[in-house]
Amino acid sequence: MAKRKEEFKLTKPLHHVAFIMDGNGRWAKARGLARHYGHHEACKRIIEIFEVCRKYDIHVMSWYAFSTENWNRPQEEIDHLMDYLEEFFEQQIDYLDSVGTKLIVSGDLSRIRPQTREVCYKAIERTKNNTNWYINICLNYGSRDELARACRMIAEEVKEGKLEINDITPETISSHLYTAGLPDIDLMIRTSGEQRLSNYLLFQNAYSEFVFTPVKWPDFKEKAFVDCLKEFQGRARRFGGLKNE
Ligand code: IPE
Ligand code: IPE
Ligand code: MG
């Protein structure tokens, strides 16, 4: 009888995983479908990968849903993306709340259409006291905008006499980002073979391990994710020192 394969055990500390869910358009095109089918399929992977994170006790997840640069896409595609985001929240919020997930949205929601914004605010409000799992959705998010916003807030505090210039530390900056209070990212995964950050969580990714997989996001299921976790587990995280973690 064939021996059952041993389940992978994650032993390296992994508190926060960040995803750039890329390749939806190419996935759809390869099937002769319109790009938005790829985005729809992509949403199904989010909840599946969330389950795998729970299985491996990874408590914080960041997801790149829409970048500040994605406004360059056709309006029709943007509308589809917002439709699917609303659908995701509507379908999953009861479940996410029931397992104690707190939803955080990073990004400037003022430019997001009102109904999508409302769905986000409702989910944030409903889950604000949950502490088991953290889902950070990056929506109309850009790291450069986030850092400029943090600078403005810090400058305002200095102007009001609440903060001394010499007291500004990396922690001050961290605490003025959308991700304030969340741990630094340990692992950043980008699917579809592209190897760049695309303005994603630049400060929070300062010491993360990057794993790039050729798998397109709609095909990114448990096995592909576990392969990334294995690669992460094999990395020596030195943080500038000499000893392996
Ligand atoms: C990522 O997939 C999803 C979003 C940017 C919202 P893409 O739509 O970028 O897919 P490709 O890169 O064109 O294949
Ligand atoms: C990054 O993917 C943004 C999201 C996944 C939401 P893109 O496909 O927009 O990034 P570029 O344009 O290839 O850098
Ligand atoms: Mg892309």
Side-chain angles (χ1 to χ4, degrees):
M1 213 166 68
K3 211 175 143 225
R4 224 179 132 251
K5 260 185 99 193
E6 281 271 307
E7 244 316 87
F8 168 69
K9 279 199 181 59
L10 179 67
T11 51
K12 195 186 279 293
L14 205 180
H15 306 288
H16 186 169
V17 60
F19 299 96
I20 301 182
M21 308 99 90
D22 201 10
N24 301 350
R26 279 164 283 166
W27 180 90
K29 196 173 169 215
R31 282 158 183 75
L33 301 168
R35 293 178 56 84
H36 68 90
Y37 285 98
H39 298 315
H40 200 233
E41 188 65 22
C43 292
K44 298 183 198 157
R45 297 295 94 73
I46 295 179
I47 201 74
E48 289 171 18
I49 295 297
F50 170 71
E51 283 310 314
V52 185
C53 287
R54 275 163 43 84
K55 182 159 139 189
Y56 288 98
D57 231 19
I58 304 165
H59 288 261
V60 186
M61 293 140 257
S62 287
W63 309 86
Y64 211 174
F66 192 86
S67 75
T68 46
E69 288 71 28
N70 287 146
W71 295 110
N72 292 327
R73 298 195 179 196
Q75 187 59 42
E76 197 202 335
E77 180 168 344
I78 296 173
D79 289 343
H80 276 299
L81 282 164
M82 296 305 146
D83 288 347
Y84 299 148
L85 190 69
E86 287 171 29
E87 189 182 279
F88 172 81
F89 275 118
E90 277 152 13
Q91 287 176 351
Q92 305 297 346
I93 190 66
D94 287 344
Y95 172 67
L96 291 172
D97 189 29
S98 75
V99 296
T101 313
K102 178 171 171 147
L103 280 153
I104 297 149
V105 178
S106 293
D108 177 9
L109 292 189
S110 67
R111 208 180 150 185
I112 298 293
R113 70 184 190 193
Q115 66 265 42
T116 310
R117 204 162 55 213
E118 269 319 299
V119 171
C120 290
Y121 285 148
K122 260 168 70 188
I124 294 167
E125 179 59 27
R126 173 164 169 188
T127 63
K128 66 177 183 205
N129 296 319
N130 292 338
T131 55
N132 290 347
W133 313 101
Y134 295 82
I135 287 188
N136 172 36
I137 306 252
C138 298
L139 182 57
N140 188 21
Y141 174 85
S143 222
R144 289 174 172 178
D145 274 5
E146 180 187 39
L147 287 165
R149 173 180 171 269
C151 289
R152 286 194 296 274
M153 289 194 283
I154 294 167
E156 198 65 42
E157 286 172 32
V158 170
K159 200 167 98 182
E160 288 170 8
K162 292 180 188 155
L163 186 66
E164 292 290 332
I165 285 183
N166 287 331
D167 290 338
I168 299 173
T169 62
E171 288 71 33
T172 316
I173 299 169
S174 217
S175 67
H176 288 80
L177 301 178
Y178 292 115
T179 49
L182 298 182
D184 280 346
I185 298 166
D186 299 295
L187 170 62
M188 198 289 298
I189 298 172
R190 183 170 189 151
T191 59
S192 87
E194 307 298 340
Q195 303 193 3
R196 56 178 169 269
L197 270 177
S198 301
N199 204 9
Y200 189 47
L201 301 167
L202 302 182
F203 196 87
Q204 300 87 333
N205 267 310
Y207 244 111
S208 61
E209 296 296 326
F210 289 2
V211 172
F212 298 104
T213 166
V215 178
K216 295 179 187 71
W217 179 262
D219 288 328
F220 192 75
K221 299 186 180 178
E222 176 158 0
K223 189 193 169 296
F225 182 30
V226 171
D227 285 345
C228 296
L229 295 177
K230 284 180 184 164
E231 177 150 357
F232 171 77
Q233 181 123 297
R235 300 272 178 94
R237 301 194 76 191
R238 299 193 191 87
F239 297 102
L242 298 176
K243 236 176 74 206
N244 289 353
E245 192 181 81

